[in-house]
Amino acid sequence: MRWLPSFVTLFLIFVAGLVMQVGGILMNINTLPTSTSFALATYVRLLGLLLMVIGPLLIALKFFSRLDKKS
């Protein structure tokens, strides 16, 4: 699968998701629930969660495709 980036890039996607998740949590703590920045923080948290799930899945896909190629 040549369209998949390297393992390091996929790991950095996971780390970016983790940073977005923590940043979104901190933004949620510091804002009121009725403000627009609260909604923005919620979207940042959801995007971070998505990246945290997609990163390891793509790492596993790349790993298993490499195992398939060698046999």
Side-chain angles (χ1 to χ4, degrees), residues 3-5 9-11 13-14 17 46-62:
W3 57 271
L4 277 173
T9 307
L10 293 172
F11 179 72
I13 288 173
F14 172 77
L46 285 174
L47 183 62
L49 180 64
L50 180 72
L51 290 177
M52 284 177 61
V53 169
I54 294 294
L57 284 177
L58 290 177
I59 288 172
L61 181 68
K62 185 171 178 87

Side-chain angles (χ1 to χ4, degrees), residues 19-39:
V19 168
M20 289 175 76
Q21 186 81 8
V22 171
I25 289 171
L26 292 176
M27 283 174 60
N28 271 340
I29 290 172
N30 292 329
T31 58
L32 296 173
T34 57
S35 66
T36 57
S37 60
F38 187 81

